[in-house]
Amino acid sequence: MELERLSPTLLRGTFHAYELSAFVAAARYLVETAPGDVPQESLDQLRQLLAGYDQQLRRLADAQG
């Protein structure tokens, strides 16, 4: 994994597929099984992040044919 700061609030990450898969799996698990003390706003942000990830994954698949 490599992180690069582009600006104070913008980072660029380079991940191996298995590293990114671990992050995505953890996020999906949390969204699906979150205990009651996890703020709804945090879960909503994770859902948005996962939706964006899924959209980009479909874009990559479409580009490959």
Side-chain angles (χ1 to χ4, degrees):
M1 175 189 321
E2 183 179 318
L3 294 176
E4 176 185 356
R5 185 171 299 280
L6 302 178
S7 72
T9 60
L10 183 62
L11 299 173
R12 179 183 306 166
T14 302
F15 304 89
H16 287 275
Y18 69 90
E19 293 170 326
L20 184 56
S21 294
F23 280 124
V24 171
R28 289 190 199 284
Y29 177 78
L30 183 60
V31 165
E32 293 172 5
T33 64
D37 61 344
V38 175
Q40 187 61 44
E41 182 179 343
S42 297
L43 293 174
D44 291 342
Q45 288 174 344
L46 274 177
R47 284 186 187 97
Q48 290 174 9
L49 182 100
L50 290 168
Y53 172 80
D54 291 341
Q55 180 182 7
Q56 290 299 308
L57 206 55
R58 284 189 299 275
R59 182 187 63 80
L60 288 174
D62 290 346
Q64 289 181 343

